Amino acid sequence: MNPREVAVELMNTALEAADPYEAVKRSLSFDGKDLVVKGQRFGARGRIYLLAFGKAACAMANAVADVLVERIEEGVVVTKYGYAENCPPNPRIKVIEAGHPIPDENSLLGGKLGLELARRVGPSDVLLVLISGGGSALFLLPEDGISLEDKIKTNELLLKSGARIYEINTVRKHISAVKGGKLAKKVKGTVISLILSDVVGDPLEAIASGPTVKDPTTFQDAYRILELYNVWEKLPESVRRHIERGLNGEAEETLKEDLPNVRNFIVGSGTIACEAAKKKAEELGFNAVILTTTLEGEAREAALTIGSIVREVAEHDRPLRKPAVLIAGGEWTVTITGKAGLGGPNQEFALSIARKIAGLNAVVLAVDTDGTDGPTDAAGGIVDGKTLERLEKAGIDVEEALKIHDAYYALEKVGALLKTGPTGTNVNSLVIAVIPKGL
């Protein structure tokens, strides 16, 4: 296997380890009387309802359907366009495809139907909530007075601001009727949330904006973030008005205490994916290390950091000896100012690191584990020590492409785009660097 083949195999191994269906099946069982989640038992003699939202919603819902067979009373599944093909073929489960990363009318429909379902759960019933990445945009219900258009405008401003996902979700929670634990408040019965984490460090309150989790952030935090990223003055009037009401104590805060009827469980994460890739690399005869599972920052700068370590291994056999595999997980961002081309954080990461590894016998792959990097059909990019030379021969000004965030076009010109199609999972982004023996 050449280094490129190794990188792709390790990526596939990581994606398999993060498979949401298997993650749920490992965590959930039913003995006819009780639901058992990671060894903890929950009485389930009443009705069992299902609410799933996120890019992995269908796979997670399939696992629950297989475990519970005919016990699901009613369900709502909300996922991204193109991701519903493998949803449970159950007439009692309504499936909705909606917009991501920009929410749309179907996101609003999913939020309304999900909240209605939650309100039908009786004191002796169970609501299984399946949460995965993308849930913030896909499961949407603005607070009274905020229109869908105003919510979308706010979301667009945040996505382009360079704010981290945790900060974006802090704002989302404070203009939503279902996020920040507000969904859980509406349920009279038992709530069991099974969560596939796509947020660095796995903070429960940040994943899909924490609809069933208490929230440590406040309206003051939301306001500070909006000011920090120069978004406040650009916000729709209705959003500013609602946040100002919250600052004055006139609007409901997010959930601030643990509810006795609610339990939340993480069943899958980027850490699991990285560990699986490391194990496979070692089986293939490589010295392997997970550099971090919490890499953050601007994509082009994070790429230079990882690239410097790749070069250190290639040229000096440290911090580990060749043949080597370096693995990193996390969530990097792109701050867009002015004119912008086409791309995504992982494509920009790949284009940037191509400069740092130029001339080396090394391959670096950067991928969004959901299969979609930014508003493109690519999951990321895969580059090697000759990519920069190929780009220059193709007439691509790499620095200009990075400046205007046009990584898709640049990588496409030299066959360096990585296209996986929808993977059915979402556990952050992943970088795999393969450094064989010899420079």
Side-chain angles (χ1 to χ4, degrees):
M1 298 175 69
N2 65 38
R4 183 186 180 97
E5 290 172 342
V6 172
V8 172
E9 178 164 349
L10 297 182
M11 176 194 72
N12 289 333
T13 299
L15 293 175
E16 289 168 9
D19 180 82
Y21 178 90
E22 295 299 335
V24 172
K25 286 292 291 288
R26 286 194 300 265
S27 305
L28 175 71
S29 62
F30 181 58
D31 63 9
K33 292 183 180 180
D34 295 339
L35 285 168
V36 183
V37 184
K38 290 193 166 184
Q40 298 186 36
R41 305 183 75 87
F42 299 87
R45 292 168 176 79
R47 294 168 294 181
I48 300 176
Y49 294 88
L50 174 67
L51 174 59
F53 44 89
K55 297 179 211 174
C58 287
M60 297 177 80
N62 266 326
V64 170
D66 287 351
V67 170
L68 297 180
V69 193
E70 297 298 320
R71 280 300 309 275
I72 298 174
E73 179 74 18
E74 186 182 356
V76 174
V77 175
V78 189
T79 193
K80 184 175 178 175
Y81 288 112
Y83 283 49
E85 182 177 348
N86 297 315
C87 268
N90 187 327
R92 288 174 293 188
I93 299 176
K94 184 173 181 60
V95 179
I96 300 166
E97 289 186 311
H100 181 277
I102 306 301
D104 63 6
E105 290 285 351
N106 276 4
S107 306
L108 183 60
L109 175 62
K112 288 178 178 177
L113 293 179
L115 185 57
E116 290 171 4
L117 180 75
R119 285 173 167 157
R120 286 198 287 277
V121 177
S124 62
D125 300 334
V126 174
L127 175 65
L128 277 171
V129 184
L130 312 178
I131 302 172
S132 57
S136 287
L138 294 166
F139 187 68
L140 175 78
L141 192 61
E143 286 282 14
D144 290 344
I146 300 175
S147 68
L148 174 61
E149 292 73 20
D150 287 349
K151 177 84 171 185
I152 290 172
K153 177 64 175 176
T154 302
N155 199 48
E156 289 175 337
L157 289 168
L158 288 166
L159 287 170
K160 292 179 180 178
S161 71
R164 293 176 297 170
I165 188 63
Y166 185 88
E167 295 170 318
I168 292 172
N169 285 348
T170 295
V171 177
R172 284 170 167 166
K173 283 182 283 190
H174 285 87
I175 59 174
S176 170
V178 291
K179 296 178 173 66
K182 294 177 185 176
L183 176 69
K185 286 184 178 182
K186 310 297 192 300
V187 183
K188 297 182 177 68
T190 300
V191 178
I192 302 172
S193 292
L194 307 182
I195 303 169
L196 189 72
S197 174
D198 72 328
V199 180
V200 173
D202 304 332
L204 288 173
E205 71 277 3
I207 303 166
S209 301
T212 61
V213 182
K214 69 178 180 180
D215 174 41
T217 70
T218 65
F219 276 105
Q220 186 63 48
D221 293 322
Y223 174 75
R224 176 184 55 78
I225 289 163
L226 292 164
E227 283 279 14
L228 177 64
Y229 291 98
N230 298 313
V231 174
W232 176 254
E233 295 297 333
K234 304 172 187 175
L235 287 174
E237 177 61 30
S238 65
V239 174
R240 282 206 308 272
R241 185 165 57 248
H242 180 78
I243 292 175
E244 286 170 346
R245 289 183 62 241
L247 292 172
N248 293 328
E250 299 169 0
E252 180 189 14
E253 255 291 1
T254 49
L255 178 66
K256 298 305 178 191
E257 70 280 348
D258 289 315
L259 299 178
N261 63 317
V262 179
R263 293 301 305 275
N264 296 280
F265 298 89
I266 288 184
V267 297
S269 68
T271 297
I272 294 171
C274 288
E275 289 171 348
K278 178 178 182 290
K279 180 180 178 182
K280 183 64 176 179
E282 291 169 341
E283 290 173 358
L284 293 174
F286 288 83
N287 298 312
V289 64
I290 298 173
L291 296 173
T292 179
T293 58
T294 60
L295 184 64
E296 294 182 277
E298 281 290 317
R300 72 177 72 180
E301 300 304 326
L304 295 180
T305 298
I306 299 299
S308 68
I309 303 173
V310 173
R311 181 166 288 278
E312 193 73 14
V313 172
E315 295 179 342
H316 302 291
D317 278 317
R318 60 190 185 209
L320 73 170
R321 298 183 64 82
K322 301 184 293 292
V325 167
L326 309 178
I327 301 163
E331 195 75 16
W332 25 99
T333 54
V334 173
T335 302
I336 296 174
T337 56
K339 180 183 177 182
L342 184 63
N346 287 282
Q347 293 161 64
E348 189 151 317
F349 188 106
L351 185 61
S352 180
I353 205 170
R355 302 173 298 171
K356 194 68 175 179
I357 67 170
L360 299 179
N361 182 16
V363 170
V364 179
L365 173 156
V367 62
D368 192 322
T369 56
D370 74 345
T372 304
D373 184 42
T376 76
D377 61 352
I382 181 166
V383 298
D384 60 33
K386 296 182 179 179
T387 300
L388 182 63
E389 181 183 346
R390 296 189 195 102
L391 287 162
E392 291 171 347
K393 286 182 178 179
I396 302 296
D397 184 333
V398 174
E399 299 303 326
E400 179 64 18
L402 287 168
K403 181 179 179 180
I404 65 171
H405 311 292
D406 200 22
Y408 184 97
Y409 173 75
L411 295 175
E412 183 181 46
K413 287 283 285 186
V414 295
L417 285 175
L418 184 64
K419 297 185 179 182
T420 63
T423 64
T425 190
N426 187 24
V427 289
N428 294 329
S429 292
L430 177 70
V431 170
I432 297 170
V434 180
I435 310 118
K437 287 185 177 180
L439 287 177

